Amino acid sequence: GPLQVDQTIEASGIDFDGTRHLVFFADVMTYAGHDEQFLRDTAVAWNGGFVPAPASRLVKFFRAEADRETMFYPSEWPLPDPAMIWQFS
């Protein structure tokens, strides 16, 4: 299960078809510095105006084997094609 990193962040490991990820869950309001206007401004700029509920959690996935040189390049870490997974299962 998730491990408590601090009072507002949890982390958990998951496996997606043999690809290991580290997943972080963060409290939305804490991440926004408890600044409701910042949250609204960010929602307008990045999220089509949708403002998450105050108790929402942000989720961030990291590939477990990623390194500093490639971790921010999605092309280096493609996910398996779900259609292919089901075809050969």
Side-chain angles (χ1 to χ4, degrees):
L3 299 173
Q4 197 76 34
V5 176
D6 64 22
Q7 291 182 348
T8 63
I9 298 176
E10 297 171 320
S12 181
I14 64 167
D15 184 285
F16 178 72
D17 192 42
T19 303
R20 298 175 313 134
H21 293 81
L22 184 57
V23 184
F24 288 91
F25 304 90
D27 177 78
V28 169
M29 287 307 293
T30 300
Y31 199 77
H34 299 284
D35 183 339
E36 292 184 24
Q37 186 60 49
F38 173 74
L39 186 63
R40 282 191 294 276
D41 293 345
T42 301
V44 168
W46 291 11
N47 202 22
F50 175 78
V51 178
S56 295
R57 307 287 275 168
L58 297 172
V59 180
K60 178 66 179 167
F61 291 81
F62 294 92
R63 292 284 294 258
E65 64 273 10
D67 56 41
R68 289 181 181 202
E69 289 76 35
T70 63
M71 68 186 298
F72 295 109
Y73 296 100
S75 62
E76 296 287 332
W77 305 102
L79 293 174
D81 181 349
M84 297 301 290
I85 293 169
W86 289 107
Q87 182 179 5
F88 296 107
S89 296

